[in-house]
Amino acid sequence: MTPGAKRDTRVALLARRRALTPAELADAAGRVQAELVALVRRLRPRRMTAYVPVASEPGGPDLPAVLDAALPTGAELLLPVLRDDLDLDWAPWTGPDALVAAGRGMREPTWPRLGVTAVAEAELVVVPALAVDRRGVRLGRGGGSYDRALARVPATALTVVPLHDGELVGELPAEPHDRPVRAVVTPGDGLRTLDAARPA
């Protein structure tokens, strides 16, 4: 598949998200958060990663606070910090007041940065995407940041993408560097595991 196919798919998916009403976004965020909280409470990870959803991304801007509250005492929630080379560093979540505006619309913690390999110790990795297919192929926004990060995630970790309904699809354009994820969460169907066993 060509990069042009990915670009066209992104445009269509973003347009669909922009058409969602505030009420639809709020309802979807609540359902996605509830599913992820249940997952966190079941897995009880000692370290997990997430991100701050922006605009129409599923999960709502308070997702990190909700996930952090569900973690066991002493566990750590890391958020991504976008580097100049578009790779992802990681820093602990310490509350909404410690977030700053960053590139690509992200909100991220300022310090302490733990390095790009910090994600390798996570047991649960919550990853953004515009869509995921049933093989686990995810379509991001095109920077390749999460593909690099996912390459460092151990096979024992659960990688999960929050999506809106309709964003788990049959097949997406894929390239050799694309890294599959193992599960998605949607408002309507909750947590669904995927066939992410294809060669990377």
Side-chain angles (χ1 to χ4, degrees), residues 75-97:
E76 189 174 39
L77 172 63
L78 303 185
L79 300 185
V81 179
L82 187 64
R83 293 168 23 132
D84 290 340
D85 63 1
L86 300 185
D87 207 342
L88 295 178
D89 205 328
W90 301 89
W93 160 262
T94 58
D97 293 340

Side-chain angles (χ1 to χ4, degrees), residues 14-157:
L14 285 167
R16 187 177 181 278
R17 283 189 175 183
R18 284 193 295 269
L20 294 170
T21 67
E24 288 171 330
L25 290 171
D27 180 66
R31 292 171 182 265
V32 164
Q33 287 181 8
E35 289 289 342
L36 288 173
V37 163
L39 179 63
V40 169
R41 288 178 174 162
R42 186 168 76 249
L43 296 182
R44 298 182 58 81
R46 303 307 302 170
R47 171 178 281 183
M48 70 171 290
T49 73
Y51 59 97
V52 183
V54 297
S56 57
E57 287 185 327
D62 59 340
L63 180 63
V66 171
L67 295 178
D68 184 64
L71 282 169
T73 301
E76 189 174 39
L77 172 63
L78 303 185
L79 300 185
V81 179
L82 187 64
R83 293 168 23 132
D84 290 340
D85 63 1
L86 300 185
D87 207 342
L88 295 178
D89 205 328
W90 301 89
W93 160 262
T94 58
D97 293 340
L99 298 176
V100 297
R104 300 190 168 220
M106 293 174 62
R107 292 181 56 74
E108 58 189 32
T110 54
W111 67 278
R113 293 190 180 189
L114 303 180
V116 297
T117 60
V119 70
E121 298 177 20
E123 299 163 66
L124 175 61
V125 178
V126 181
V127 184
L130 297 174
V132 175
D133 74 17
R134 297 183 189 282
R135 301 168 297 167
V137 174
R138 60 176 288 278
L139 183 69
R141 291 181 178 263
S145 303
Y146 271 94
D147 287 316
R148 280 182 265 184
L150 287 169
R152 303 179 182 113
V153 174
T156 53

